[in-house]
Amino acid sequence: MTLRIADRPTVYILHENAEWLPPFTRALDEAGVPWIDWELSSGSIDLTQAPPEGVFWSRLSASSPSRGHAHAKEVARSVLRWLEAAGRRVINGSGVVEFEVSKVAQYTALAAEGFDVPRTIAVFGRDELVERARTLPTPFITKHNQGGKGIGVRRFDSQDDFAAYASSDGFEEPVDGVTLLQEHLLAAEPFVTRAEFIGGRFVYAVRVDTSGGSFELCPAEACAVPPTGLSPAVCDVPDAQGGLPAPAPLFTERTEITAAHPLIVRLEAFLAARGIEIAGVEFFETVDGRVVPYDVNTNTNYSPDVEAANGHRAARAISELLARELTERYAPAAV
């Protein structure tokens, strides 16, 4: 994609999936903030030339290979380093990309800060998969190090089933060659929580219903983790009149989670220390009392239902952040 260059300082949204942009571009339009989208799937940059003037927001997604953009990660790395070297304001810059595309980076950083994270074994290639899996009790789950959308997430209830899968033609090769073997943790109640942060500050938390047989979910798309070979549980039960009840919303706001919650306070500090300005951090509370963060999404999306119910707080907060950064650096020429 050939980048359009504005004739004034502008917000540039770096991405590889235009389908995720409308909530943000609508909010920017409503706020009167100029913007241009910059697709990270093709194009070019002249390293001897200065980048355009503006504020740059990176929305690289770890799941980009699933949409045919296998090299978006490398494009983002190149573009963001070019922008940063020129002193441009980048939100979720090159260091954040490494978090988005590596769960190893996420877990090791969280553990170093004292968070309770799932026991995880990173296996490079296939040779040691079966051997290392046998060190975990069943059930256990697999993940891809570079994931998103639940890519590569499977649950195995027996070592024999996993051994058969690992040696089969149906084995799902991770894009970076790193498969994660992870302990299966049981949530106290059938939901996980996603805490949203914008400008490094907590905005709200979302309760994600997992009663359909899944615990790995994101607001943009459910990522089911049924036992291998089985379908997620069907939870619709006829009511007294023989009909089906209206389905409960998958995503709802957890209003009891506030900025003063101890976990939120710690996560704000964790994100700030790593320059992660926009993120959704997923965690769940286990039956044995653990509070376990297990995913840091730096290309965060928001539930349309939750946003509509609470006045589009996240979309509006992002537009306000981008407008503020643009105005502070280029006023009065910016907006």
Side-chain angles (χ1 to χ4, degrees):
M1 174 180 175
T2 301
L3 175 65
R4 293 183 294 117
I5 304 296
D7 57 5
R8 58 172 173 160
T10 294
V11 168
Y12 291 87
I13 307 174
L14 285 62
H15 70 95
E16 54 75 41
N17 184 13
E19 293 180 1
W20 288 341
L21 297 187
F24 310 111
T25 57
R26 280 196 300 268
L28 289 169
D29 287 340
E30 290 170 1
V33 180
W35 60 272
I36 290 176
D37 68 298
W38 185 346
E39 188 176 338
L40 296 171
S41 58
S42 61
S44 61
I45 54 175
D46 185 339
L47 300 182
T48 65
Q49 299 296 313
E53 297 288 344
V55 172
F56 299 81
W57 172 28
S58 171
R59 302 204 73 244
L60 173 74
S61 172
S63 63
S64 57
S66 71
R67 290 177 291 278
H69 300 152
H71 301 300
K73 173 173 64 177
E74 300 307 327
V75 174
R77 283 172 169 158
S78 298
V79 170
L80 293 174
R81 287 167 182 161
W82 176 60
L83 294 171
E84 291 165 349
R88 297 296 183 266
R89 175 68 169 101
V90 179
I91 294 173
N92 281 8
S94 59
V96 179
V97 165
E98 305 312 315
F99 258 73
E100 174 64 17
V101 300
S102 174
K103 287 183 169 57
V104 167
Q106 295 175 24
Y107 294 143
T108 54
L110 286 165
E113 293 296 328
F115 290 92
D116 185 355
V117 297
R119 182 192 173 194
T120 305
I121 301 170
V123 182
F124 315 118
R126 288 208 218 183
D127 291 349
E128 296 186 20
L129 272 173
V130 174
E131 175 187 350
R132 297 311 300 267
R134 294 194 185 281
T135 67
L136 290 173
T138 55
F140 62 89
I141 65 173
T142 63
K143 291 182 177 181
H144 286 185
N145 180 53
Q146 180 179 336
K149 296 202 313 180
I151 295 171
V153 182
R154 294 171 179 250
R155 190 180 102 193
F156 291 90
D157 292 330
S158 81
Q159 295 288 352
D160 288 344
D161 284 349
F162 177 71
Y165 167 70
S167 62
S168 72
D169 292 339
F171 176 76
E172 190 176 3
E173 293 280 358
V175 68
D176 62 358
V178 183
T179 299
L180 305 182
L181 307 174
Q182 191 172 92
E183 66 173 321
H184 181 280
L185 299 177
L186 185 62
E189 296 184 54
F191 70 86
V192 299
T193 301
R194 182 179 170 109
E196 302 292 357
F197 300 84
I198 295 171
R201 309 297 295 177
F202 175 72
V203 181
Y204 59 72
V206 175
R207 182 188 191 277
V208 188
D209 184 2
T210 61
S211 60
S214 164
F215 71 89
E216 182 88 11
L217 299 171
C218 63
E221 181 175 343
C223 307
V225 196
T228 303
L230 299 180
S231 299
V234 178
C235 297
D236 290 332
V237 179
D239 60 22
Q241 287 71 44
L244 290 176
L250 187 60
F251 305 103
T252 54
E253 185 175 355
R254 283 191 72 180
T255 55
E256 77 278 16
I257 302 280
T258 70
H261 189 288
L263 178 65
I264 299 303
V265 172
R266 293 182 64 201
L267 286 174
E268 279 193 356
F270 173 84
L271 296 173
R274 288 153 184 82
I276 303 174
E277 298 181 67
I278 299 176
V281 181
E282 296 176 17
F283 67 92
F284 63 100
E285 294 121 312
T286 70
V287 291
D288 54 354
R290 296 169 64 181
V291 179
V292 182
Y294 66 91
D295 204 3
V296 180
N297 299 274
T298 65
N299 171 50
T300 193
N301 288 295
Y302 305 102
S303 161
D305 293 338
V306 173
E307 282 284 281
N310 69 26
H312 301 281
R313 281 160 46 200
R316 186 171 67 248
I318 285 180
S319 71
E320 291 171 352
L321 169 65
L322 295 171
R324 183 168 61 251
E325 293 295 329
L326 195 63
T327 300
E328 288 179 357
R329 281 159 179 75
Y330 297 102
V335 292

